[in-house]
Amino acid sequence: ASSWDPKMVEGAQALAARETRAVGIQWTFAPMVDIARDARWGRMVEGAGEDPYLGAAMARAQVLGFQGKHLGDPDRVLACVKHFAGYGAADGGRDYDSSYIPEEEMWNVYLPPFKAAIDAGVGSLMSAYMDLNDVPASGNPWLLRDVLRDAWGFKGFVVSDAFAVWSLVKHGYARDVQDAVYRAFSAGLNMDMASGSYLKYLPGEVQQGRVTVQQIDDAVMPILETKIRMGLFEHPYFDESRMATVLNDPQHQQTARTA
């Protein structure tokens, strides 16, 4: 990010995508676009720093590098911009701690890099761990519906950070894991990462009538659409014979050195 050279960043991430796809991986949990202004926060090294303009430029460049101009472009991967949103404003720079951010500051400081990523066509987002103004981000309807879907018109899918649905109980936001599943799903979270909570409890929510089959279909549709656009049904396997050639491409080494 300190280079202020989005074209270089886009090129470097395009090569990272090519290498990633060559070993059979189609999805990367990047870029991390959290604005961070407290040097005590250990994860700020992953992002572009304190400035929303630079952060937005880097977010756009990385998404275009990973995905290309269209989902499904050859040798590209699905990007996942994270952590939505306000994760970098944790109290005292303590990772996972709550963030208290006025709405005006959210729109002007913390959200612009995410908007830039969406405008660049990013196919997925990852929700954050922390409380945002006392409502956990992974169960936050304002973030996942009002901002993301209604204001920005995002058509892709949202995956939780690892075990973030289960963590809604730890936050005191849900009484148990089943309630956490209902709250996260109802807020607009499409996919539960790692905890298995959706798989275990969503069928029961449907049977009890708290969640409809139509809601399940609506949540699943963008995931299936993404797989179709990525060509994963037509070409589910990768060619192992390409790995060595791609990973040892001298041009990749030169681009890394330039970066």
Side-chain angles (χ1 to χ4, degrees), residues 23-42:
V23 299
I25 297 170
Q26 298 91 10
W27 189 18
T28 180
F29 292 150
M32 191 275 248
V33 303
D34 297 306
I35 296 297
R37 295 181 167 182
D38 188 332
R40 295 172 296 183
W41 189 53

Side-chain angles (χ1 to χ4, degrees), residues 18-189:
R18 184 168 181 248
E19 293 185 355
T20 302
R21 200 66 188 261
V23 299
I25 297 170
Q26 298 91 10
W27 189 18
T28 180
F29 292 150
M32 191 275 248
V33 303
D34 297 306
I35 296 297
R37 295 181 167 182
D38 188 332
R40 295 172 296 183
W41 189 53
R43 295 196 66 170
M44 68 186 307
V45 67
E46 300 173 57
E50 65 183 358
D51 180 64
Y53 181 84
L54 177 61
M58 292 293 118
R60 180 180 186 277
Q62 292 188 80
V63 169
L64 290 176
F66 285 133
Q67 291 189 175
K69 293 185 178 179
H70 306 283
L71 275 183
D73 281 353
D75 289 333
R76 303 298 178 107
V77 296
L78 176 67
C80 184
V81 67
K82 64 184 187 182
H83 307 82
F84 194 64
Y87 189 44
D91 266 358
R94 295 182 294 267
D95 198 30
Y96 293 21
D97 257 17
S98 302
S99 297
Y100 294 94
I101 308 171
E103 187 170 343
E104 181 181 7
E105 191 174 1
M106 280 293 294
W107 286 110
N108 290 319
V109 176
Y110 292 95
L111 291 178
F114 291 96
K115 180 61 162 58
I118 289 169
D119 289 344
V122 73
S124 65
L125 274 79
M126 185 186 297
S127 62
Y129 279 119
M130 83 297 153
D131 281 351
L132 174 65
N133 301 331
D134 294 324
V135 180
S138 292
N140 193 308
W142 181 78
L143 274 177
L144 302 181
R145 291 202 181 278
D146 297 354
V147 174
L148 190 58
R149 304 292 185 181
D150 297 342
W152 291 348
F154 179 62
K155 302 299 184 186
F157 68 91
V158 184
V159 60
S160 75
D161 210 334
F163 295 93
V165 173
W166 178 82
S167 294
L168 296 182
V169 180
K170 296 291 187 183
H171 284 292
Y173 188 65
R175 65 177 177 271
D176 52 31
V177 179
Q178 182 170 346
D179 187 45
V181 165
Y182 171 74
R183 288 175 177 270
F185 185 82
S186 299
L189 189 74

